[in-house]
Amino acid sequence: ARAATVEAAAARHREVAAAPVRRVSGDLALAAFLERLGLSAHLSVLEAEEIETPELALITKDDLVELGIPGRDAVTIIAAAAGPEGASPGRTPQEYLCPITMELMSFPVFATDGFTYERAALSSWLQDNDTSPMTGMPLLSKDLIPNHALKALIHGWRARGRRR
């Protein structure tokens, strides 16, 4: 029975791997980011302008207001995109930010989609979903593997920042 289960999982993996990569509903990380802020209503505006999550750190409140997003919401989005303690995107390497929360990771983990996420954010996502937050494709497993190398890099980066 176990061999049949393993073979079925392998067949599913081959099927998923052969399928073309597609975007399910635009930038899923952006959708999760806005949902966390309680601002999901603005997703269609940002998607219409083809603004993706990493670009939020590069635009201004005025840019968002010009798109029709109310000023208070624009400030909230910009502040959250800047990361914790007002870290600017120029100082915080993008790969140190969780693609779900856009916050600096403390406990980075790998998912079976090959992406790294903050453990708490991905665990929360996986309570209601069986798909990758980044690709929308089914995950082969909900196992989370600690990304020790990235955790060490973030720790070193934080330590250098405190010495400045």
Side-chain angles (χ1 to χ4, degrees):
R2 177 154 167 72
T5 302
V6 170
E7 181 51 39
R12 183 175 173 210
H13 175 71
R14 286 190 296 275
E15 179 182 307
V16 169
V21 175
R22 60 185 168 80
R23 298 184 81 130
V24 175
S25 63
D27 183 351
L28 294 173
L30 178 61
F33 173 75
L34 291 174
E35 184 176 328
R36 183 179 63 81
L37 298 175
L39 300 174
S40 297
H42 303 306
L43 179 62
S44 61
V45 172
L46 297 175
E47 284 184 330
E49 294 296 322
E50 298 182 359
I51 296 172
E52 296 184 349
T53 310
E55 296 164 338
L56 286 176
L58 305 174
I59 61 178
T60 67
K61 170 193 160 253
D62 293 334
D63 294 330
L64 293 177
V65 169
E66 193 173 302
L67 296 175
I69 295 175
R72 172 177 266 167
D73 291 353
V75 168
T76 301
I77 291 168
I78 296 301
E85 296 148 15
S88 72
R91 293 187 333 202
T92 305
Q94 188 69 29
E95 58 272 16
Y96 294 1
L97 303 178
C98 172
I100 296 172
T101 64
M102 293 307 296
E103 293 178 356
L104 188 63
M105 292 184 274
S106 297
F107 300 100
V109 294
F110 289 110
T112 57
D113 62 358
F115 291 95
T116 297
Y117 305 90
E118 175 62 32
R119 177 180 296 279
L122 185 57
S123 294
S124 178
W125 170 269
L126 292 175
Q127 287 178 357
D128 299 321
N129 301 282
D130 293 326
T131 58
S132 162
M134 293 296 287
T135 67
M137 298 297 292
L139 292 170
L140 296 176
S141 162
K142 289 187 174 186
D143 292 338
L144 306 181
I145 299 116
N147 187 336
H148 297 295
L150 183 58
K151 185 174 182 177
L153 288 170
I154 293 169
H155 177 77
W157 178 81
R158 282 180 167 163
R160 282 189 304 280
R162 284 193 291 268
R163 287 194 301 254
R164 289 182 183 158

